């Protein structure tokens, strides 16, 4: 046990069982899942499209746009861009929809009276 672990009491498992089955926690999980699952599917579909085009559409992916920059390179760089966009969208979603509920649950469990 590290020095940063909270001291556990006999009623702690009961508290976490109650939290896990509470309406707020169920809403928190639902809000997380409604963002994470569709976004994961969207990103995986986008990545699979890129892989399939790179493997089976050589002519299309090798079309030059400017100088030596072709569509394949642009699509590859857009993979990075889409990762950063998804991260920014998740941070915004978490700040607006997840953190307020998580803070409320945390304060109830820790017994804050603020």
């Amino acid at each position: 046990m590290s020095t940063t672990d909270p001291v556990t009491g006999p009623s702690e498992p009961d508290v976490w069982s109650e939290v896990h089955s509470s309406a707020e926690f169920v809403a928190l999980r639902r809000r997380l899942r409604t963002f994470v699952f569709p976004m994961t599917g969207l990103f995986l579909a986008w990545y699979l499209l890129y892989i399939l085009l790179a493997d089976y559409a050589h002519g299309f992916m090798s079309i030059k746009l400017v100088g030596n920059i072709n569509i394949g390179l642009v699509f590859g760089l857009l993979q990075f861009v889409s990762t950063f966009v998804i991260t920014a969208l998740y941070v915004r979603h978490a700040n607006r929809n997840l953190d307020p509920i998580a803070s409320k649950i945390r304060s109830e469990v820790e017994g804050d009276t603020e």
Side-chain angles (χ1 to χ4, degrees), residues 32 36 71 75 81 83:
L32 175 70
V36 170
I71 291 178
F75 276 19
V81 172
T83 301

Side-chain angles (χ1 to χ4, degrees), residues 7-80:
V7 177
T8 60
S11 65
E12 186 172 335
D14 295 333
V15 170
W16 292 115
S17 295
E18 288 176 26
V19 168
H20 191 266
S21 61
S22 71
E24 292 92 4
F25 189 77
V26 170
L28 179 65
R29 283 192 337 213
R30 184 176 51 251
R31 287 183 181 192
L32 175 70
R33 289 176 180 166
T34 57
F35 180 87
V36 170
F37 290 150
M39 195 60 68
T40 301
L42 182 66
F43 180 78
L44 289 175
W46 160 237
Y47 185 68
L48 180 63
L49 174 68
Y50 172 68
I51 296 297
L52 291 174
L53 287 173
D55 196 30
Y56 296 109
H58 298 281
F60 173 71
M61 295 293 269
S62 64
I63 294 173
K64 294 194 184 251
L65 299 173
V66 177
N68 288 331
I69 299 174
N70 60 23
I71 291 178
L73 179 62
V74 171
F75 276 19
L77 293 173
L78 286 175
Q79 292 291 319
F80 291 102

Side-chain angles (χ1 to χ4, degrees), residues 73-94:
L73 179 62
V74 171
F75 276 19
L77 293 173
L78 286 175
Q79 292 291 319
F80 291 102
V81 172
S82 65
T83 301
F84 291 119
V85 168
I86 290 170
T87 301
L89 290 173
Y90 176 76
V91 168
R92 188 178 76 180
H93 176 74

